[in-house]
DNA sequence: TTGTATATTGAAATTAATTTTCAGAATTTA
DNA sequence: TAAATTCTGAAAATTAATTTCAATATACAA
């Protein structure tokens, strides 16, 4: 945990930016989250801990965390972006219920193998992928 | 082509909605497009042909066309949605260059097979999927 | 046809996520 | 310290998408 914070500090400095308590606080909070999150939930979570961090700072920090490889934007829902911590996590797919909004993750190595093979067969450089499957969850399908 | 229009008319009526020239005009224009499109490009395209259709009507018609299976929202870029005609098209992946924004399609039956297998192994009902691969296109990777 | 109920239209107003502006505060380096 | 630069929160601005509204068009039965 602390070494991730330290690496973030180095990342920020190396970009010629200033290392601020706000940036560190946002990273710490995100690393403590288990689930997907969005700006609103992160903001409320911080507020609950009496943090005075503004949404503007959150909006300004998230792209840095994406660039540093800490988080990824994984899907849009309800008109806004949702993120997740990507450290120690393999690329995976998201199933999204179009009825109730439930989001479920699944990991399958065959998918990752296939995508790696796509890359080898192409002239592109693959950095990341999003696979979103839309449909009905077990609850919603029985209507 | 005309039978698609007719099927759309039936679809609209069967929903208890009214069949209007605006709705038909939007569908005709979309069916004539070869590429992905967004609201702005569709609006300008219609305007070029002296159509007086408003953006509001486009925004109102696109969800009907999605519901009817004519189009799909395929990705967000530049903060807004992009669509494509899905008739006579198999599900496919999109490669998006994070540098220049180029979007390229690819079709691979192994991917579709794999996703069908995911569905069989799950308790979910899969309706559609989006696979977006982000990276660098051949031009942009050589820097 | 004609009349009536209902849905649709374009334009303008509204909403909501995200970005930008700005002046004061904090960080960095010397 | 002191100076240079970046960052902050709050408010304003931007922009995709949605909603409102009054006028118009559609559908369908008489
Ligand atoms: Mn996930
Ligand atoms: Mn496509
Ligand atoms: Zn559900
Ligand atoms: Zn490119």
């Amino acid at each position: 945990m602390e070494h991730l914070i330290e690496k973030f500090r180095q990342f920020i400095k190396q970009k010629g930016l200033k290392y601020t308590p706000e940036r560190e606080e946002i990273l710490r909070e995100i690393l403590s989250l288990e689930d997907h999150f969005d700006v609103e939930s992160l903001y409320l979570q911080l507020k609950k801990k009496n943090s005075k961090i503004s949404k503007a700072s959150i909006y300004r920090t998230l792209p840095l965390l994406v660039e540093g490889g800490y988080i990824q934007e994984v899907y849009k829902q309800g008109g806004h972006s949702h993120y997740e911590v990507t450290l120690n996590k393999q690329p995976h797919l998201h199933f999204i219920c179009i009825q109730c909004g439930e989001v479920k993750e699944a990991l399958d190595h065959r998918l990752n193998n296939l995508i790696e093979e796509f890359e080898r067969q192409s002239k592109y450089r693959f950095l990341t992928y999003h696979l979103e499957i839309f449909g009905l969850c077990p609850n919603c399908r029985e209507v």
Side-chain angles (χ1 to χ4, degrees), chain A:
Chain A
M1 169 70 160
E2 292 309 313
H3 81 283
L4 287 176
I5 304 285
E6 175 54 23
K7 247 178 44 184
F8 181 57
R9 202 183 62 76
Q10 288 170 16
F11 168 73
I12 290 293
K13 307 290 319 215
Q14 160 250 308
K15 283 181 67 72
L17 303 176
K18 292 179 176 171
Y19 193 68
T20 66
E22 288 82 2
R23 286 175 173 160
E24 180 173 323
E25 204 176 337
I26 289 170
L27 174 56
R28 282 188 187 279
E29 190 56 42
I30 285 172
L31 292 178
S32 80
L33 297 174
E34 314 218 320
D35 244 341
H36 298 161
F37 65 94
D38 56 19
V39 168
E40 184 68 17
S41 67
L42 178 57
Y43 176 70
L44 292 177
Q45 189 65 27
L46 284 163
K47 203 163 202 178
K48 203 186 292 181
K49 301 189 177 175
N50 293 318
S51 170
K52 292 197 168 174
I53 291 178
S54 66
K55 278 194 185 174
S57 286
I58 294 176
Y59 275 111
R60 285 186 282 232
T61 301
L62 293 186
L64 291 173
L65 294 174
V66 170
E67 191 187 340
Y70 295 83
I71 62 174
Q72 268 194 5
E73 191 187 330
V74 279
Y75 54 88
K76 297 233 177 193
Q77 209 187 11
H80 59 269
S81 296
H82 291 247
Y83 300 82
E84 72 180 1
V85 175
T86 44
L87 292 170
N88 316 319
K89 262 208 156 186
Q90 296 227 235
H92 53 269
L93 63 88
H94 292 101
F95 170 82
I96 301 176
C97 179
I98 60 171
Q99 193 87 124
C100 69
E102 188 199 315
V103 178
K104 197 171 186 320
E105 302 187 338
L107 178 61
D108 190 293
H109 64 88
R110 287 168 300 175
L111 175 63
N112 291 337
N113 289 160
L114 189 54
I115 287 176
E116 277 169 24
E117 195 184 326
F118 287 164
E119 180 172 23
R120 283 192 297 275
Q121 290 169 359
S122 80
K123 288 172 183 158
Y124 293 76
R125 168 83 191 291
F126 288 8
L127 297 175
T128 181
Y129 75 82
H130 294 350
L131 174 56
E132 290 152 35
I133 300 179
F134 300 91
L136 296 171
C137 73
N139 277 335
C140 295
R141 69 181 297 179
E142 48 183 55
V143 177

